[in-house]
Amino acid sequence: MSNGCGYEGCTVGETKRCALENDPATCPHRVTGSLVVEENAGDDTVDSNGSVGSPVLASPVETPTFPPSTTLALAAIDEMMVSRYVTVVGILGDPEAGKTACLASLYLLVSHAKLEGWSFADSRSLMAFEEIARGARRWNEGDPPAQMTVHTEMADDRQPGFLHIKLRRRSDDRSFDFALPDLPGEWSKDFIRTARSDRLEFMRSADVIWLVSDGRILSNKELRQGAITRLGQLAARLRALIIGKMPRLILVITHRDIVVPAVDTIRRIELELAKHDLEAEVVAVAPFSDDPNFGAGFGLDLLINATVREARKGEPFWPDSNPSEEQRSFLSYRRDND
Ligand SMILES: Nc1nc2c(ncn2[C@@H]2O[C@H](COP(=O)(O)OP(=O)(O)O)[C@@H](O)[C@H]2O)c(=O)[nH]1
Ligand SMILES: [Mg+2]
């Protein structure tokens, strides 16, 4: 039966000719407009006025989805920034320095309410924290892997992926949102070697930069100088990348469970940074510990305290730009353009 005809064997649809040899326009089996509406009464393409095409039912309210499970893109951090201040942390350092370990340990401490002075308030990237902490959890089950944190691989090697965590400071009940990127050490190496900085552009708007360094290397006579030189090169690259106000630098020295950073080494690093007119606060940490008598997570609370210590002073909202008496800017302008 063709659409619009009541006759069972109608062929107008296929052949344009009526099977009963009637004129299709006047065939008595033809179904009129009103019948079509009746036939289609349950069809949602016909509205109550009988006009075809407009939807009858409003589209359902979108059910809320789970937040994204992996790291957040820069755009998501920007969006978050619209409603509240987010402390953006840049994390640089050689591969294997302990960057991911710091993030994993921070998450594990907070999730067990063991970060001194801080408590967990929220996270938009819990699954990403879970992913990086997985190595540590396997270790806790008594099966120590060769590496406790999965080697950082970026899904997109041009864009940093951020972890978000909101912590509440016990002393004053103030909450801080942190955006922490888990960057592969290769990005720092490329930044030093080839000045490749496109994917590190976000550093310009970071509040704080953690320069993570392996404490064992800093205490090794043969390796120490190389690590200090690389920190200096990193400082030089940051100086070139960041035109305006420099984010505060924190030198994060890992493996505090194994070695205590020597005062002399820290002094040498400070001198190296000073060459580029930079200075850093030093925090020694042990995100994980090989020593049963030394608590894993040592210094992470101090690192977070140092990260929020001084909110970045913004540029003056309305800078004082009154011309001085002698300055004849307008006349000079005319003269320059004549
Ligand atoms: N014992 C000990 N191991 C650490 C410490 N920091 C990092 N590690 C280990 O060092 C290895 C490299 O750390 P990782 O965070 O992956 O380095 P990344 O490349 O800088 O992200 C991992 O196996 C960590 O568990 C620390 O303070 N103490
Ligand atoms: Mg890593």
Side-chain angles (χ1 to χ4, degrees):
M1 186 171 72
S2 292
N3 199 8
C5 180
Y7 178 62
E8 203 57 58
C10 175
T11 52
V12 174
E14 291 86 40
T15 63
K16 302 255 179 353
R17 311 193 85 193
C18 175
L20 302 172
E21 298 195 345
N22 291 330
D23 177 355
T26 55
C27 175
H29 293 281
R30 226 179 125 239
V31 180
T32 60
S34 61
L35 269 175
V36 174
V37 172
E38 251 170 57
E39 263 188 7
N40 290 322
D43 189 333
D44 65 3
T45 60
V46 181
D47 70 9
S48 53
N49 301 322
S51 63
V52 182
S54 48
V56 175
L57 300 173
S59 46
V61 180
E62 223 171 88
T63 44
T65 53
F66 286 114
S69 64
T70 49
T71 53
L72 305 172
L74 256 181
I77 302 296
D78 274 348
E79 201 185 301
M80 217 185 278
M81 286 265 205
V82 174
S83 56
R84 55 190 187 269
Y85 194 81
V86 179
T87 302
V88 176
V89 181
I91 306 179
L92 296 174
D94 288 339
E96 302 292 300
K99 299 179 295 300
T100 308
C102 285
L103 297 174
S105 180
L106 174 70
Y107 167 67
L108 290 170
L109 286 173
V110 172
S111 58
H112 290 89
K114 285 198 170 138
L115 186 70
E116 186 73 35
W118 296 89
S119 59
F120 177 82
D122 189 16
S123 171
R124 293 260 311 272
S125 53
L126 273 181
M127 287 308 289
F129 272 117
E130 276 292 311
E131 275 167 21
I132 62 165
R134 212 176 293 146
R137 288 196 300 143
R138 273 205 302 275
W139 188 77
N140 287 340
E141 282 162 22
D143 176 24
Q147 255 193 215
M148 295 217 297
T149 48
V150 256
H151 187 66
T152 310
E153 282 169 20
M154 300 295 297
D156 181 345
D157 108 305
R158 284 153 296 143
Q159 270 231 0
F162 287 89
L163 296 139
H164 164 251
I165 197 162
K166 184 174 180 174
L167 301 176
R168 183 164 297 119
R169 187 161 62 185
R170 293 230 173 83
S171 60
D172 55 4
D173 234 11
R174 227 180 111 188
S175 298
F176 295 83
D177 283 273
F178 296 91
L180 308 141
D182 184 28
L183 306 181
E186 284 75 18
W187 286 28
S188 295
K189 278 174 91 178
D190 284 355
F191 186 41
I192 293 175
R193 268 199 310 242
T194 65
R196 178 169 176 193
S197 63
D198 55 327
R199 48 197 184 179
L200 293 174
E201 298 254 301
F202 79 93
M203 291 279 176
R204 290 192 175 131
S205 49
D207 295 84
V208 179
I209 296 177
W210 296 352
L211 299 176
V212 184
S213 207
D214 186 335
R216 292 169 309 176
I217 293 183
L218 289 180
S219 66
N220 179 308
K221 264 200 196 130
E222 277 124 62
L223 302 174
R224 182 187 307 162
Q225 190 48 47
I228 296 174
T229 308
R230 281 196 300 284
L231 282 169
Q233 289 166 334
L234 206 50
R237 294 287 188 216
L238 285 173
R239 250 289 161 246
L241 174 71
I242 300 166
I243 300 125
K245 185 168 160 52
M246 195 70 186
R248 278 183 314 118
L249 300 184
I250 301 179
L251 175 65
V252 183
I253 303 179
T254 61
H255 291 84
R256 173 65 181 77
D257 55 315
I258 299 170
V259 284
V260 181
V263 178
D264 174 53
T265 309
I266 293 174
R267 183 81 198 110
R268 279 164 65 185
I269 297 172
E270 282 171 347
L271 287 173
E272 201 61 41
L273 298 181
K275 285 185 191 164
H276 309 284
D277 197 18
L278 292 172
E279 51 185 33
E281 186 172 343
V282 183
V283 182
V285 297
F288 296 117
S289 173
D290 284 336
D291 181 348
N293 300 317
F294 198 95
F298 176 89
L300 267 291
D301 53 336
L302 303 179
L303 178 58
I304 293 298
N305 291 344
T307 301
V308 299
R309 184 152 298 138
E310 176 211 39
R312 207 174 151 203
K313 287 183 203 81
E315 295 301 317
F317 177 68
W318 197 251
D320 182 12
S321 59
N322 285 336
S324 62
E325 278 295 307
E326 305 89 274
Q327 230 183 341
R328 313 199 63 178
S329 306
F330 180 65
L331 291 179
S332 305
Y333 173 80
R334 285 289 303 270
R335 195 181 55 222
D336 292 348
N337 286 276
D338 276 347

